[in-house]
Amino acid sequence: MASKKITNATHGISTVAVQAGEAHQKPGHSITDPIFCASTFTFSDTDAIIRFIEEKEEREEYGRYGNPGEKVAERKLAALEGSEDAILYSSGMAAMVGLVMTKLNAGDEVVFFDECYHRSREFCAKHMSRFGVITRQVKACDYDAMEAAINDKTKLLISESPTNPHLSIIDLDRFAAIGKKHGVETLIDATLATPYNLKPINHGVDYVLHSATKYLAGHNDLLAGVIAGSTEQLEPVRKLRGIMGAVNSAHNIYLLLRGLKTFSLRMQQHNKSGLAVAQFLETHPRVEKVYYPGLESHKYYDVAQKTMSGFGGLITFLVKDADWRATANIVDAVTIPRIAPSLGGVESLIEQPLVMSYYECSPEDRARFGIQDNMIRLAVGIEDTDDLIEDLKQALEA
Ligand SMILES: *Cc1c(COP(=O)(O)O)cnc(C)c1O
């Protein structure tokens, strides 16, 4: 029996995460999608090749261009995002590189909101510049500055929402409208929000990028990336991916699909625990400031309320009257969160941005990027909220 197509317009997000993109009946009558360990796919005869090419028959040809498991993951991710199409990559950065390389030519310009994953900025500013692409950075959430930075060479506007590590929230209607007004495409890296909490496509944004390494896969056990958007706009991006070769192994895809089954349940816990831990930190006397979009004290609380259905597990906070070493001592004193970069997995992670990602950065650049010595970034996992709060309390009071 054929199943009714499962989309985010007709079904809830848990149903989409578990069921969308999959065939109702699968090879071998297996409930799970098989792992297709194949670098290449065979044709029965010469006519089959011609049918595939001339009639654009839906099937695989060679592993770099696609794999049946990858197609399932892409359909599921598109259904979660509410987009027409999605392209899977071997990492979030591969997705960013794939899109930027497809869309920008020598002489073109890209405008960034400046609070962002440092490697995205580095790729454009340091590497695309070698190919004649100009990167302009403007202050996050300064829409007038973004508009002023646009000229007739501008081809792409890029932002994260929430931004990393300050958790600023973009007014997506405004951001998309600036792009539309000037005929410039827009990209939101919504890794920190996930499609559970934010749907940039509904606001008119052209492309949504995720490091699927984080919440989508959710288990700190793989790297993957995805770009969602319209089939037409993504067509050249998909073609370049087939040439770049930044694709996932069949086993990696299986792990991603398995992780996605519990996506909605995990997000419920990240959202609930993230808010409770942020509220606890905000009331603790050793904490100077907490950045979390679900707190009323957050600079963009109103925009967050308007655009997001939850605020995730990432919390950034400043320790009161602490130098970098006193701050490091708190990181070292927690017992449940592990010290590591990344976020979005079932295990909580903690880091001091100064040491983890910005150690080799000059003090001037750190000031420019708003990275303070007393800053801690906590990625709340799905452990019991009370245990995490108790652990943070003892670390702050040690
Ligand atoms: C981790 C991250 C990336 C990069 O993704 P990888 O999967 O590590 O390549 C990009 N953007 C954001 C916001 C991230 O957190």
Side-chain angles (χ1 to χ4, degrees):
M1 200 181 72
S3 61
K4 183 168 176 232
K5 189 164 187 245
I6 289 165
T7 72
N8 85 344
T10 54
H11 293 75
I13 194 157
S14 281
T15 309
V16 172
V18 177
Q19 302 278 357
E22 301 185 19
H24 205 56
Q25 200 59 19
K26 297 174 186 169
H29 312 292
S30 165
I31 185 150
T32 52
D33 270 283
I35 301 173
F36 290 91
C37 275
S39 60
T40 193
F41 299 86
T42 62
F43 293 87
S44 55
D45 53 26
T46 301
D47 283 347
I49 307 174
I50 294 168
R51 262 201 316 280
F52 167 68
I53 296 170
E54 289 192 352
E55 295 168 29
K56 300 196 171 16
E57 187 188 328
E58 283 275 338
R59 54 154 290 163
E60 304 304 340
E61 177 195 4
Y62 181 65
R64 185 160 21 78
Y65 310 128
N67 174 291
E70 178 182 75
K71 292 283 191 309
V72 174
E74 290 180 339
R75 285 195 298 265
K76 195 184 285 290
L77 290 163
L80 283 168
E81 204 61 62
S83 63
E84 225 182 339
D85 204 356
I87 307 177
L88 194 65
Y89 286 86
S90 52
S91 70
M93 276 316 297
M96 179 62 85
V97 169
L99 185 87
V100 166
M101 293 283 286
T102 309
K103 297 290 169 179
L104 299 172
N105 296 309
D108 289 345
E109 300 195 3
V110 50
V111 186
F112 264 91
F113 274 149
D114 65 355
E115 289 171 11
C116 65
Y117 184 63
H118 62 125
R119 298 297 184 202
S120 302
R121 171 171 48 221
E122 182 179 340
F123 174 66
C124 285
K126 200 163 143 191
H127 296 283
M128 288 308 286
S129 59
R130 295 189 288 116
F131 304 97
V133 170
I134 292 167
T135 300
R136 299 190 188 277
Q137 292 181 52
V138 299
K139 208 170 151 28
C141 302
D142 187 339
Y143 304 93
D144 294 336
M146 176 156 269
E147 201 162 357
I150 295 174
N151 60 44
D152 58 6
K153 300 206 176 68
T154 311
K155 291 285 149 48
L156 193 60
L157 308 181
I158 301 182
S159 182
E160 294 175 12
S161 193
T163 66
N164 176 21
H166 296 89
L167 288 306
S168 298
I169 308 298
I170 306 305
D171 183 333
L172 294 177
D173 292 330
R174 236 176 129 180
F175 177 73
I178 294 172
K180 295 245 183 321
K181 179 174 161 196
H182 295 276
V184 179
E185 290 187 327
T186 46
L187 165 68
I188 287 288
D189 176 341
T191 299
L192 270 53
T194 82
Y196 190 89
N197 288 331
L198 188 73
K199 295 273 197 326
I201 298 279
N202 292 352
H203 296 268
V205 170
D206 292 298
Y207 307 104
V208 185
L209 184 145
H210 295 283
S211 167
T213 310
K214 316 291 169 55
Y215 293 107
L216 290 168
H219 292 72
N220 291 323
D221 59 358
L222 67 87
L223 290 152
V226 61
I227 296 175
S230 76
T231 307
E232 189 188 339
Q233 283 168 298
L234 287 183
E235 197 206 43
V237 187
R238 188 179 288 284
K239 287 224 166 85
L240 184 61
R241 189 204 59 172
I243 298 171
M244 279 170 60
V247 295
N248 292 278
S249 75
H251 288 95
N252 210 52
I253 292 163
Y254 180 79
L255 283 176
L256 172 61
L257 283 171
R258 185 175 164 122
L260 280 168
K261 296 276 175 181
T262 55
F263 171 62
S264 162
L265 283 175
R266 288 186 285 103
M267 287 314 296
Q268 288 168 37
Q269 180 68 12
H270 285 296
N271 283 347
K272 182 170 90 62
S273 220
L275 181 60
V277 171
Q279 284 167 341
F280 158 75
L281 287 170
E282 191 166 48
T283 56
H284 198 281
R286 280 209 70 195
V287 174
E288 176 188 319
K289 182 179 173 67
V290 181
Y291 298 87
Y292 186 77
L295 294 177
E296 273 183 56
S297 59
H298 190 70
K299 195 171 169 192
Y300 301 102
Y301 175 76
D302 291 340
V303 191
Q305 290 292 322
K306 207 174 72 179
T307 51
M308 301 178 78
S309 48
F311 312 102
L314 197 73
I315 303 166
T316 300
F317 63 100
L318 305 179
V319 185
K320 198 176 282 174
D321 303 324
D323 61 7
W324 80 270
R325 179 48 87 180
T327 307
N329 289 343
I330 293 169
V331 171
D332 292 345
V334 298
T335 62
I336 298 174
R338 315 294 176 84
I339 302 172
S342 201
L343 64 118
V346 291
E347 295 97 355
S348 292
L349 301 175
I350 193 164
E351 61 158 287
Q352 188 174 3
L354 165 79
V355 187
M356 191 61 81
S357 300
Y358 293 87
Y359 194 75
E360 289 172 321
C361 203
S362 68
E364 296 73 37
D365 276 350
R366 280 203 298 268
R368 196 153 62 85
F369 301 139
I371 304 301
Q372 283 154 272
D373 291 4
N374 61 341
M375 180 179 268
I376 293 177
R377 200 186 83 164
L378 173 68
V380 173
I382 64 164
E383 301 93 344
D384 285 293
T385 312
D386 292 348
D387 290 338
L388 290 172
I389 289 176
E390 204 48 48
D391 190 27
L392 287 162
K393 190 165 184 300
Q394 68 75 26
L396 286 163
E397 291 163 17

